[in-house]
Amino acid sequence: MQHNLFSALRAGWPADLDATAIECADAGVQHPALLYTWRDLDRSTAMLANLLAALGLPDGARVAVQTEKSVEALLLYLAVLRAGLVYLPLNTAYQAAEIEYFIGNAEPSVVVCSGKNFGWVSKLAFKAGTAHVFTLNDDRTGSLLQRAAHHSAEHMPVQRAAGDMAAILYTSGTTGRSKGAMLSHANLLSNARVLQQAWGWRTPAEGSDVLIHALPIFHVHGLFVASHGALLNGSKMLWFSKFDPKAVAARLPEATVFMGVPTLYVRLLAEGTFTREACRNMRLFVSGSAPLLIETFDDFRARTGHTILERYGMSETVMLTSNPHAATDGERRGGTVGRPLPGVGVRVVNDAGAACATGNIGGVEVTGPNVFAGYWRMPEKTAEEFTADGWFKTGDVGRFDAQGYLTIVGRSKDLVITGGYNVYPAEIEGLLNELPGVQESAVIGVPHADFGEAVVAVVVARAGSVPEASELIALLKARIANFKVPKQVFVVAELPRNAMGKVLKNVLRDAHKGLFDG
Ligand code: AMP
C-alpha cells in the first residue's frame, strides 16, 4: 500500500481552505495577528517540497533542521514529508560538538539552520559531505524561503511504502550517546489516528478543537503528538514560539486543548491570571514526557476544575498509554500513565522475561504499529533492545494495577542497587515530596565501597522553607526500610533538567560520584 503521512494529515483539513489554520499568539505579537490559512499551509509546503525535489536528492535523503520554533519550521517538516524525504529535527540547545555528531551520524543531504549559526553549522555540514545548507529564521527570513519563493505552489505528494522512514528522532540522551530512532510514515500515522479517537478530537464538522501549541517542535511531544493532532483534525492552532504562562493564560478562553510537559503545568499554576474562568472553554489538558507530580495534578484540579490527562510515550514508539478521555472509560488517575492505547501491547516483565503479577514492578516492553523499526545504523543496538518475540524494551520500569493502569517507576538505568536490594527512585522521591518543606526531589545511586551503590537524594526546598537534611532522613526512617533511606540528602536551588523537563540524573550522579570515596 502507498502512504504519505502528509496526504493523510491533509485529508483532515476543512473544506473551507480559507479558514485560519494557525494564528501566531506570542505575547506582544503585532495586530492584526499573523494568520495562516489552510490554503497557506498547502501552498507553502508545496513550494518547499518543490524546492527539495529540485535538489535531486537520493531516495531516503535526510533533511536535518536546527532552527528556532516558527510556523515556517513546521511547514518545512510537512514539506519534507510531502517530498517523501526524511525529517531530522535537532534540539535548538545543541552546540557544535553535538551537531557535529548528529550530522556525522545521519549524513543529511540538506541542513537547515538559523542564520546566526550559518557560519559554524555550514562548516561542519560541508565537512561531513552535506550538499545543501539553507537558513531559516523565526521572522520569516532566510535563504530557504527565498529559494522556495521561486517554486510552484502545486505539488503532488510523493508516495512511499508504509514502512519507509518519515523521520529520525535522536533520543534525548539523558544517559549515553544519543541514538537515531527511525520512524516510518505508518508508525506516525497509526499513532495520530489512535489519538484522534482516544482523545476525542473534534472534526471541523463537529465544531473544531483549538489547540494551544506551546511546546518545542524538535521532540515527539510538540512535533508529532500536538501538531499531528491539530493537523489531522483540521483544528486551528494558537501558536506560541515559546511558553509564556501569562500569554498562554490570556489566550486560553479561545482554546479547547492544551498539551504540556509537567514543568509547563507548574508554571501555569504559579501564574495568577491562570484561573478557572480562563479555562472555561477547555476540554482537555494533556501531560507527558516526564512524570507529573501528584501535587501538581491535585493543585491543577483544585484551581481549574479540570483533571490533567497523563500519557506515556517515547521517541522510539510515539504514544503508548493514556489515561481515559471519556469518563465512561474510567477515571484519570494521578501518578499513573493510564492504560495501553488501542492496538498497542504493553507488558511488565521480570529479569527472566516472564510477565509480572499485577502490582509487581518490572521492565516495560511494548509492541504495536507505532513502534519504530530500529536505531539508525545501529543494528546491534537495535537487536539488543528487542526481545526474541519482537517486543521493544523501553528501558522504563513500571507496574500495572488491578484496573490495568500503568505506573512508571523510573528508568531501569536509574534503578539503585544497594547491598543487593533494589531501590526504585520514584518511590523515595514520592515520599520525600510529601515531607514538609520539600518542593521536589531526585534520588540517585552513588558508588559505595560496602553497598555497591548508596542511595542519595537531591531536594529542592519549597519557597520560604529550609528543610534540614537530617530531619528528612529521620522522617523517612520512620516510614520505609532502612536500605531505602538516603544516606545523604542535599538541598539545592533547582534540579538539572533537559528541554523537555526531564531531570538529568546522570548530571547528578556525576556531581556526587566521589561522595563516599576514601
Ligand atoms: P523521549 O524519548 O525523550 O520522549 O523520552 C521518553 C521517556 O520519557 C520515556 O521512556 C519515559 O522514561 C519518560 N516519560 C514519558 N512520558 C512519561 C510520563 N507520563 N511519566 C513518566 N515518564 C515519562
Side-chain angles (χ1 to χ4, degrees):
M1 207 172 78
Q2 294 289 292
H3 263 259
N4 186 303
L5 174 59
F6 173 81
S7 304
L9 296 173
R10 170 83 178 68
W13 296 0
D16 177 11
L17 287 180
D18 293 317
T20 301
I22 303 180
E23 176 178 344
C24 291
D26 284 313
V29 91
Q30 311 105 328
H31 287 281
L34 193 54
L35 301 177
Y36 297 75
T37 64
W38 296 98
R39 194 182 306 283
D40 292 334
L41 265 52
D42 191 37
R43 291 171 55 86
S44 312
T45 56
M47 291 161 91
L48 286 164
N50 281 322
L51 165 63
L52 293 168
L55 301 177
L57 306 175
D59 219 32
R62 279 80 57 207
V63 178
V65 179
Q66 190 198 31
T67 60
E68 299 305 320
K69 182 177 178 184
S70 67
V71 174
E72 284 67 27
L74 180 72
L75 298 176
L76 173 58
Y77 162 58
L78 295 174
V80 170
L81 294 178
R82 188 168 184 160
L85 302 169
V86 179
Y87 190 71
L88 197 170
L90 292 168
N91 190 326
T92 42
Y94 288 144
Q95 304 291 324
E98 290 149 318
I99 295 296
E100 186 171 21
Y101 166 73
F102 293 119
I103 292 181
N105 189 250
E107 297 183 350
S109 300
V110 179
V111 169
V112 181
C113 65
S114 305
K116 66 178 190 311
N117 296 337
F118 180 79
W120 63 269
V121 173
S122 61
K123 210 153 131 199
L124 291 176
F126 292 138
K127 201 173 95 195
T130 297
H132 309 275
V133 181
F134 296 104
T135 58
L136 176 62
N137 303 313
D138 59 3
D139 60 356
R140 299 184 305 291
T141 62
S143 60
L144 183 82
L145 300 177
Q146 277 168 7
R147 291 281 300 275
H150 299 292
H151 288 268
S152 158
E154 310 263 318
H155 176 270
M156 273 295 266
V158 175
Q159 292 304 304
R160 312 280 0 173
D164 282 351
M165 233 196 306
I168 299 182
L169 248 60
Y170 278 86
T171 54
S172 56
T174 49
T175 50
R177 196 106 239 212
S178 201
K179 305 179 287 287
M182 300 188 286
L183 293 155
S184 67
H185 285 260
N187 289 149
L188 297 174
L189 181 56
S190 72
N191 209 239
R193 290 213 164 113
V194 163
L195 294 177
Q196 175 174 42
Q197 294 300 316
W199 293 347
W201 279 93
R202 295 195 298 233
T203 62
E206 294 161 340
S208 280
D209 277 309
V210 176
L211 171 76
I212 292 205
H213 194 305
L215 287 162
I217 54 168
F218 51 71
H219 185 264
V220 56
H221 200 165
L223 183 63
F224 299 149
V225 185
S227 306
H228 289 173
L231 292 166
L232 183 63
N233 294 289
S235 302
K236 176 177 162 182
M237 286 191 251
L238 289 171
W239 185 264
F240 290 83
S241 58
K242 54 185 178 308
F243 176 74
D244 170 346
K246 198 181 276 309
V248 165
R251 302 303 297 269
L252 266 175
E254 296 158 64
T256 62
V257 181
F258 177 84
M259 298 190 191
V261 296
T263 19
L264 300 199
Y265 287 104
V266 172
R267 290 180 59 197
L268 272 177
L269 285 169
E271 169 55 45
T273 58
F274 178 65
T275 58
R276 186 176 282 249
E277 174 65 8
C279 301
R280 62 187 178 275
N281 294 319
M282 288 295 294
R283 69 169 190 86
L284 185 60
F285 288 94
V286 176
S287 176
S289 298
L292 182 74
L293 293 180
I294 287 280
E295 189 195 358
T296 313
F297 178 86
D298 289 341
D299 288 354
F300 196 90
R301 182 143 61 187
R303 171 86 69 91
T304 65
H306 286 275
T307 307
I308 296 174
L309 176 155
E310 186 167 4
R311 94 297 179 280
Y312 157 65
M314 58 200 307
S315 304
E316 291 91 333
T317 65
V318 216
M319 295 302 101
L320 295 162
T321 72
S322 171
N323 270 280
H325 165 249
T328 45
D329 291 333
E331 58 167 349
R332 295 180 195 161
R333 291 199 186 159
T336 84
V337 294
R339 294 185 292 232
L341 285 161
V344 179
V346 180
R347 66 189 184 193
V348 171
V349 301
N350 63 22
D351 290 345
C356 289
T358 301
N360 285 358
I361 291 174
V364 177
E365 296 181 350
V366 300
T367 185
N370 50 310
V371 175
F372 77 138
Y375 294 111
W376 170 255
R377 291 186 179 159
M378 287 189 183
E380 289 92 27
K381 190 79 202 156
T382 302
E384 271 171 36
E385 304 296 335
F386 281 87
T387 63
D389 60 347
W391 289 54
F392 174 61
K393 302 179 207 168
T394 62
D396 289 313
V397 180
R399 71 173 123 71
F400 275 117
D401 69 15
Q403 282 72 43
Y405 287 64
L406 183 69
T407 293
I408 300 296
V409 178
R411 298 283 302 160
S412 58
K413 289 185 189 109
D414 295 336
L415 176 75
V416 186
I417 307 182
T418 181
Y421 292 111
N422 286 359
V423 177
Y424 297 100
E427 182 191 357
I428 319 304
E429 289 158 6
L431 291 168
L432 271 168
N433 297 348
E434 284 172 15
L435 296 182
V438 176
Q439 174 71 37
E440 59 172 353
S441 58
V443 166
I444 52 168
V446 169
H448 189 285
D450 291 340
F451 303 111
E453 279 185 302
V455 179
V456 168
V458 183
V459 160
V460 177
R462 217 171 258 288
S465 301
V466 193
E468 274 292 324
S470 57
E471 201 173 310
L472 297 176
I473 290 177
L475 287 167
L476 285 179
K477 275 196 172 147
R479 303 180 66 176
I480 45 172
N482 221 4
F483 71 87
K484 294 185 189 174
V485 176
K487 298 264 175 299
Q488 291 214 25
V489 174
F490 294 93
V491 180
V492 298
E494 61 178 4
L495 297 174
R497 292 181 190 277
N498 72 8
M500 298 309 290
K502 287 184 223 293
V503 176
L504 296 167
K505 291 205 166 172
N506 52 334
V507 171
L508 293 176
R509 280 193 287 261
D510 255 14
H512 296 291
K513 64 179 178 227
L515 194 58
F516 298 102
D517 284 356

